Amino acid sequence: MTDLIKVQELTAAELLKNFDVSEEAEEYLVPDTAPEVSINQLINAGLYPDAIKLLAHGLPKREAVWWACLAARDIQSPATDEDNVNALIAAESWAKKPSEEARLKCKVLGEKTKHKTPASWAATAASWCHGSLAAAGEPVIEPPQYLYAHAVAGSVTLAAVLSDPIDPGKIFVRYMAQGLDLARGGDGRVED
C-alpha cells in the first residue's frame, strides 16, 4: 500500500513507458510495484533527476504543474526578468484554476521565454496538459498524454541545478520533498 495517494494507480513499468531514465537508474527500478518503491530507491541512490521524472509522470497534471511552479518560484529573484515572472504567474494561475484561457496564456509565455528557465518550463507544462499544440486556426493536435510531465521534470531539475550548479544535492532533496508532499495530498510547501 502506498502513501502517495495522488500518484496514479499504475506500476512503475507502466509509467516508464513514457520516458527514459539514465543507465545508472535502471538497476534501482522495481518495475512491477507502485512507483513509490522505485522513487525511493532512486532518491536513496542520489539519482534525483530520474526520481523527479518518475514522480512527475505519476502525479496528476495540476499537482505536477504546481510542483514545477514551486521550484521555479524558489529561484526567482528581484533580477528575474518580467517575462519569466509573468510565465510563472500564468502557470500558477493555471494550476489553481485550469482553463483554456489560462492554458493559452501559458503557451504564449512559455514560447516567449524560449523554454530556457524553470518558469518557462512550468508555463509550458501547463500548456501541454490539454487543448491543442497547434496555432490558433490550425487543425487540433492534442498533446501526448504525458508531455506535460517532461516539462515538469525539466523545470524542477533545471531549478535545482541553477540554484546550486556545483552541488545541487540539498536542493534536489528539498524539491523531492515538495513533490512527495504533493503526492501525499499536501500543498508541496515543506520546511527545510
Side-chain angles (χ1 to χ4, degrees), residues 35-103:
E36 181 177 9
V37 175
S38 293
I39 290 167
N40 287 331
Q41 294 272 87
L42 292 167
I43 291 170
N44 292 337
L47 298 170
Y48 301 110
D50 294 303
I52 289 167
K53 286 182 195 177
L54 186 54
L55 183 55
H57 281 78
L59 284 170
K61 293 175 181 178
R62 286 177 70 184
E63 286 83 349
V65 171
W66 185 248
W67 186 24
C69 290
L70 290 171
R73 174 72 56 201
D74 188 56
I75 67 159
Q76 293 273 339
S77 74
T80 301
D81 68 78
E82 186 177 350
D83 288 337
N84 276 289
V85 169
N86 291 336
L88 179 55
I89 290 169
E92 290 170 337
S93 295
W94 181 91
K96 290 174 185 172
K97 188 174 181 189
S99 69
E100 182 62 8
E101 180 182 341
R103 185 195 75 80

Side-chain angles (χ1 to χ4, degrees), residues 87-172:
L88 179 55
I89 290 169
E92 290 170 337
S93 295
W94 181 91
K96 290 174 185 172
K97 188 174 181 189
S99 69
E100 182 62 8
E101 180 182 341
R103 185 195 75 80
L104 289 172
K105 189 170 186 175
C106 287
K107 182 178 181 187
V108 167
L109 289 165
E111 291 169 358
K112 188 174 185 179
T113 52
K114 303 185 187 329
H115 307 112
K116 292 184 178 183
T117 65
S120 179
W121 280 113
T124 299
S127 78
W128 287 349
C129 284
H130 57 90
S132 177
L133 296 175
E138 297 291 322
V140 172
I141 301 172
E142 290 189 24
Q145 184 178 5
Y146 290 102
L147 189 59
Y148 73 94
H150 294 280
V152 167
S155 178
V156 174
T157 302
L158 182 57
V161 172
L162 289 175
S163 181
D164 188 343
I166 296 169
D167 186 14
K170 288 171 98 173
I171 306 299
F172 276 130

